[in-house]
Amino acid sequence: MAFLTLFPVLVAILGSFKTNAELTTGATVLPETWHFSNYVEAWKTANFSRYTWNSLFISVTTTAGTLLVASMAAYGVERLRFTGRSLFIFIQAATMFISVGPLVLHPQFRLMIALHLQASLWGVVILLVSAHAATYFILFSFVRAIPRELDEAAKIDGSTMPGTYWRIILPLLGPGLGVSALFTFRAAWNEYIMPLVFTMSQPNLQPLTVGLSNLRYGASAAAQTHYMLAGACLSILPMLVAYVFANKSFMQMTAGSLKG
């Protein structure tokens, strides 16, 4: 299974060093000549610096917003008993199993027009943050594992509920926040349809997933598959960096699940 998963990635990496003719014929696995210049051309042609910044802005702000909103919701719902609590949890769960996909793009776009955010990446960020159900349930289980005695001790010391959340609960959610950040960052980084719709009239706001399509054809309408593969390999690098930073939290969560 690992081989089947990694084989397409290996093919893409090797193909990024080939010429377009080599890719078209598919005669060799390894490049006859390693063309490192493909990466330089892909970076220049696709305006990678701008698209990379846009992708980082969307991914980082979406991750930060999702972690903040989902952690506050998880803490509030787990600790408080209020009317509609069960309905709230049911609705959160329902959003994970009902996939409406492109059907909601039009009303979402109309909503952002009403908020005057249709020409801004903030519109994309807000909509991505709103889809936080998976993160909410991950953090909800972590909050449930934190003893309530800590809240009671903090209350005795004069701490308010927001203060308890910020000073006690949030630091204890480290492993859960790390794993949630990894999943959220990956989803935001790979998002394609929503940024495409919101940036059709604003090419300078396009992220990498959308901007890579500019490498598809050259000036003479000839296919540039080798440049697209080079660009795709470049777009993988930030995800690898994010995994390196979140790997420790991911391993801690996995190890914690085995404690009895």
Side-chain angles (χ1 to χ4, degrees), residues 185-197:
F185 186 92
R186 183 189 64 181
W189 183 267
N190 292 328
E191 183 67 35
Y192 175 74
I193 296 297
M194 190 181 297
L196 173 64
V197 171

Side-chain angles (χ1 to χ4, degrees), residues 93-172:
T95 60
M96 298 176 61
F97 297 100
I98 301 175
S99 178
V100 289
L103 294 178
V104 300
L105 282 175
H106 179 68
Q108 286 176 336
F109 191 74
R110 293 293 298 271
L111 175 62
M112 291 302 109
I113 290 177
L115 297 175
H116 303 289
L117 293 174
Q118 76 279 7
S120 170
L121 290 178
W122 282 109
V124 178
V125 170
I126 291 173
L127 292 173
L128 291 177
V129 170
S130 67
H132 64 266
T135 303
Y136 163 78
F137 282 107
I138 291 175
L139 297 179
F140 184 82
S141 63
F142 272 85
V143 174
R144 177 173 290 180
I146 298 175
R148 288 177 177 268
E149 288 77 8
L150 294 177
D151 298 61
E152 296 171 358
K155 186 176 181 180
I156 293 173
D157 290 338
S159 176
T160 60
M161 188 173 183
T164 302
Y165 159 79
W166 187 257
R167 298 185 182 90
I168 297 176
I169 302 300
L170 201 59
L172 294 176

Side-chain angles (χ1 to χ4, degrees), residues 31 67 85 135 260:
L67 294 182
R85 179 177 180 273
T135 303

Side-chain angles (χ1 to χ4, degrees), residues 144-241:
R144 177 173 290 180
I146 298 175
R148 288 177 177 268
E149 288 77 8
L150 294 177
D151 298 61
E152 296 171 358
K155 186 176 181 180
I156 293 173
D157 290 338
S159 176
T160 60
M161 188 173 183
T164 302
Y165 159 79
W166 187 257
R167 298 185 182 90
I168 297 176
I169 302 300
L170 201 59
L172 294 176
L173 290 178
L177 291 173
V179 174
S180 300
L182 177 62
F183 292 156
T184 305
F185 186 92
R186 183 189 64 181
W189 183 267
N190 292 328
E191 183 67 35
Y192 175 74
I193 296 297
M194 190 181 297
L196 173 64
V197 171
F198 276 77
T199 60
M200 282 184 175
S201 60
Q202 303 283 336
N204 61 314
L205 295 180
Q206 292 178 347
L208 275 175
T209 50
V210 179
L212 276 176
S213 60
N214 296 335
L215 292 172
R216 187 179 306 168
Y217 301 109
S220 59
Q224 299 183 131
T225 311
H226 55 318
Y227 290 156
M228 286 197 70
L229 290 178
C233 291
L234 286 173
S235 68
I236 294 175
L237 294 178
M239 275 306 309
L240 295 179
V241 174

